[in-house]
Amino acid sequence: EIVLTQSPDFQSVTPKEKVTITCRASQSIGSSLHWYQQKPDQSPKVLIKYASQSISGVPSRFSGSGSGTDFTLTIDGLEAEDAAAYYCHQSSSLPHTFGGGTKVEIK
Amino acid sequence: QLQLQESGPGVVKPSETLSLTCTASGGSIGSTEYYWGWIRQPPGKGLEWIGSVFYSGSTYHNPSLRSRVTMSVDTSKNQFSLKLSSVTAADTAVYYCARHQADMDVWGKGTTVTVSS
């Protein structure tokens, strides 16, 4: 099973700041890494697929990068509505696995 | 626009079988492009993939759940289902259904299942 390790677990950020969340895979997964946002009491919503591909309707301040074992989600110019938990997910091999999550709080 | 809705009992007794159904609207689960998956989230914790089913009925599931998982699809009703046997308190969670190819792009709102006597 591929283990995804996210960091940090928690981040408290001022609006307009840049946020960087990392996800490290226990073995190479190519670009089969996807990012989700989950707001309180809501289901997850995909933000980025295949490491860096944008999703229609997702604000352009969200971007992703990386390949192999190291991946990054960047929020360039945090807004208050971005307070949420963020998860990475790999679909390279079964079983599908998720990172432990990063909670982003607005200061 | 495809929507998914989970349904099933909110409380299940220990050692019994949890049964959930996901109903699709605004689209067909008979699509050959997508898998239909189940994901759960224990209270205050992260996401765990349970398993997925294809329109043909082929399934694959998380080995961590051993042989407790059974999934099926009913294209005539536009539904797919999950059964999880021999439940314990550790199975208490919000259960989501979702559509996926690689990424999971459509999710249901989730249903809370509590295992309690």
Side-chain angles (χ1 to χ4, degrees), chain B residues 37-52:
Chain B
W38 291 96
I39 302 94
R40 69 181 182 178
Q41 186 171 35
K45 296 189 178 180
L47 301 163
E48 178 184 32
W49 174 72
I50 299 169
S52 299

Side-chain angles (χ1 to χ4, degrees), chain B residues 28-94:
Chain B
S28 172
I29 66 166
S31 168
T32 58
E33 295 183 48
Y34 296 100
Y35 284 86
W36 307 93
W38 291 96
I39 302 94
R40 69 181 182 178
Q41 186 171 35
K45 296 189 178 180
L47 301 163
E48 178 184 32
W49 174 72
I50 299 169
S52 299
V53 61
F54 198 48
Y55 82 100
S56 61
S58 61
T59 63
Y60 55 107
H61 63 272
N62 196 325
S64 69
L65 294 166
R66 302 181 187 271
S67 57
R68 297 199 294 137
V69 172
T70 304
M71 292 174 290
S72 62
V73 61
D74 187 336
T75 54
S76 67
K77 294 182 178 178
N78 224 23
Q79 294 177 337
F80 58 104
S81 299
L82 168 72
K83 292 187 189 297
L84 182 65
S85 64
S86 305
V87 297
T88 69
D91 295 310
T92 293
V94 176

Side-chain angles (χ1 to χ4, degrees), chain B residues 5-40:
Chain B
Q5 178 68 58
E6 305 87 351
S7 59
V11 180
V12 181
K13 290 184 168 57
S15 80
E16 295 191 347
T17 296
L18 176 164
S19 295
L20 297 175
T21 296
C22 183
T23 301
S25 58
S28 172
I29 66 166
S31 168
T32 58
E33 295 183 48
Y34 296 100
Y35 284 86
W36 307 93
W38 291 96
I39 302 94
R40 69 181 182 178

Side-chain angles (χ1 to χ4, degrees), chain A residues 47-68:
Chain A
L47 296 175
I48 299 288
K49 64 180 180 180
Y50 288 113
S52 61
Q53 292 183 17
S54 58
I55 300 289
S56 175
V58 174
S60 58
R61 62 182 179 275
F62 292 94
S63 64
S65 64
S67 67

Side-chain angles (χ1 to χ4, degrees), chain A residues 16-92:
Chain A
K16 299 185 182 178
E17 242 185 282
K18 184 176 182 178
V19 174
T20 300
I21 298 169
T22 64
C23 179
R24 174 162 288 176
S26 59
Q27 63 190 74
S28 179
I29 57 172
S31 295
S32 297
L33 190 285
H34 321 290
W35 290 98
Y36 301 83
Q37 175 192 66
Q38 185 179 33
K39 295 183 179 180
D41 298 319
Q42 293 187 18
S43 51
K45 168 190 167 184
V46 63
L47 296 175
I48 299 288
K49 64 180 180 180
Y50 288 113
S52 61
Q53 292 183 17
S54 58
I55 300 289
S56 175
V58 174
S60 58
R61 62 182 179 275
F62 292 94
S63 64
S65 64
S67 67
T69 59
D70 293 305
F71 301 87
T72 300
L73 173 70
T74 300
I75 311 173
D76 197 356
L78 187 78
E79 297 194 4
E81 66 185 28
D82 300 332
Y86 293 84
Y87 295 92
C88 55
H89 154 229
Q90 68 81 23
S91 61
S92 174

